Amino acid sequence: MARLRLKVGLSGLGRMGKRHALHFLDRTPRAELVAISTPDNAEIDWAREHLEPFGVTLYKSYEDMLRHDGLQAAVIVSTTSVHADQAIKAINANKHVLCEKPLSTSVEVSQSVVDAAALHPHLKVMCGFSRRFDASYRSAHRKTTSGLIGTPSIFRSQTCDKLDPSGFFVAYAQHSGGIFVDCSIHDVDLALWFFGPSSRVKSVVASGITAVQPRLREWGDSDNAVGIVEFYGGKIAYFFASRMMAAGQEDSTEIIGTEGKVTVNMQPRLDLVDIYEKGGVRREFPATYYERFEEAFVREAIEFTQVCLEGGELPGGMKLEGAVEAVRIGCALQESLRSGEKIWFDEEGRRVERSRL
């Protein structure tokens, strides 16, 4: 007897959208990609070649896709500015939702997705933080929560992209929310995961430079930035984000506890091959974020599909409220980057003046 398969529709076929579509088409056995939507003619042309021959229906209207016969889940990989709107429409249409990060560049808009999901508790609504599905990060998390390093106290993490001279990230900065909301939000989510759901932010401060893309200043953004987040209870997270790495993608994390530490990918490498040449020994780096986390994205699709079909808690310790908190911290870091001011919060998460703490 054939197992049930989740009927999935996907919105957006940009760089990541194409990859998600192929994951659900070819690499998620219990999912069936039945429809996609995009208003972009070039993306429709790509879908005609790569998806339509396998029975995928193509829509230019997202709302029409949601009405596709038998559709059970929407995967949202469209531009960030419509993530929340499309997620809420899918929820109201009684569809499970996997939405790429962030839910929005606005805390209030992100919260509106949580509010909509709360009215439909039978649906699985998940924000896609891919590193929670990476084997190495999962191993580090198990070791940390087992007490191996004592109490996690210092969290240091970075997302550093290889330099893209095309100017893509300058154009992208118009709607990405900035380097902390776009890049460091992965690290912020990891800090919340490793420090635990009860972690409450006390203060944030950030600084940045534009070393290779000066036009980013037009959007109040930087190509290299550092942020420090202090949590109540005596914990600190340090984030570094960069768009100008020469060798390749450098994403690494260090969790320091009272009795030891664990690290993830502190010496980045593409594989286990070392190259011995006249000038010495070298190794290759993954060139892109996707090259580093491809298997995590596939695992995310598989586990999202499983929980939609079988029920239970969201995978990877995911909580939709945590996605809002990650946006809250990312936005505060971006604000601090632009203003040069330190931002303070009380234990309920409300903005306060320093004098009141």
Side-chain angles (χ1 to χ4, degrees), residues 177-192:
I179 196 166
F180 284 113
V181 177
D182 180 49
C183 267
S184 294
I185 198 164
H186 285 291
D187 306 289
V188 172
D189 176 67
L190 285 174
L192 295 173

Side-chain angles (χ1 to χ4, degrees), residues 155-173:
F155 183 90
R156 186 165 64 90
S157 196
Q158 67 178 47
T159 298
C160 297
D161 295 337
K162 187 175 182 178
L163 175 64
D164 180 352
S166 71
F168 169 83
F169 286 114
V170 175
Y172 186 52

Side-chain angles (χ1 to χ4, degrees), residues 165-321:
S166 71
F168 169 83
F169 286 114
V170 175
Y172 186 52
Q174 300 177 45
H175 52 78
S176 71
I179 196 166
F180 284 113
V181 177
D182 180 49
C183 267
S184 294
I185 198 164
H186 285 291
D187 306 289
V188 172
D189 176 67
L190 285 174
L192 295 173
W193 190 31
F194 278 86
F195 280 163
S198 62
S199 300
R200 296 293 179 265
V201 174
K202 183 176 181 180
S203 69
V204 307
V205 65
S207 184
I209 60 172
T210 49
V212 291
Q213 299 282 2
R215 286 186 55 214
L216 285 170
R217 296 185 194 124
E218 298 173 19
W219 309 105
D221 206 7
S222 300
D223 50 32
N224 287 267
V226 171
I228 297 175
V229 178
E230 182 184 3
F231 292 85
Y232 284 97
K235 298 177 180 179
I236 290 179
Y238 165 98
F239 305 121
F240 171 46
S242 177
R243 304 284 201 192
M244 71 171 198
M245 294 296 101
Q249 191 76 22
E250 296 187 43
D251 301 333
S252 57
T253 301
E254 181 179 32
I255 307 101
I256 304 171
T258 54
E259 299 175 20
K261 73 176 183 178
V262 294
T263 68
V264 179
N265 201 40
M266 295 301 284
Q267 295 292 325
R269 60 191 305 148
L270 179 63
D271 50 34
L272 298 178
V273 175
D274 292 317
I275 302 167
Y276 292 74
E277 300 173 306
K278 290 180 180 179
V281 182
R282 64 181 176 89
R283 64 182 182 277
E284 295 177 325
F285 275 29
T288 64
Y289 185 88
Y290 179 73
E291 198 169 341
R292 164 64 180 89
F293 291 105
E294 178 180 354
E295 294 304 320
F297 281 111
V298 174
R299 173 52 51 187
E300 177 184 71
I302 290 171
E303 294 188 16
F304 171 73
T305 298
Q306 179 178 341
V307 76
C308 290
L309 291 172
E310 299 180 3
E313 296 295 320
L314 292 177
M318 292 282 192
K319 299 291 184 184
L320 198 58
E321 295 81 0

Side-chain angles (χ1 to χ4, degrees), residues 13 18 38-49 60:
L13 288 173
K18 292 180 176 70
T38 173
D40 187 276
N41 289 329
E43 292 177 8
I44 287 287
D45 289 342
W46 181 90
R48 284 199 180 101
E49 179 181 353
K60 297 201 76 173

Side-chain angles (χ1 to χ4, degrees), residues 6 16 19-20 23-24 27-28 31 75-77 97-101 126-134 138 186 189 289-290 293-308 314-316 318:
L6 184 74
M16 281 308 304
R19 292 161 176 165
H20 279 285
H23 294 166
F24 279 96
R27 302 173 70 177
T28 311
V75 177
I76 298 167
V77 205
V97 175
L98 170 58
C99 181
E100 255 295 349
K101 64 79 190 169
M126 187 172 98
C127 186
F129 286 107
S130 52
R131 294 188 201 180
R132 291 192 184 219
F133 297 87
D134 177 72
R138 284 186 163 183
H186 285 291
D189 176 67
Y289 185 88
Y290 179 73
F293 291 105
E294 178 180 354
E295 294 304 320
F297 281 111
V298 174
R299 173 52 51 187
E300 177 184 71
I302 290 171
E303 294 188 16
F304 171 73
T305 298
Q306 179 178 341
V307 76
C308 290
L314 292 177
M318 292 282 192

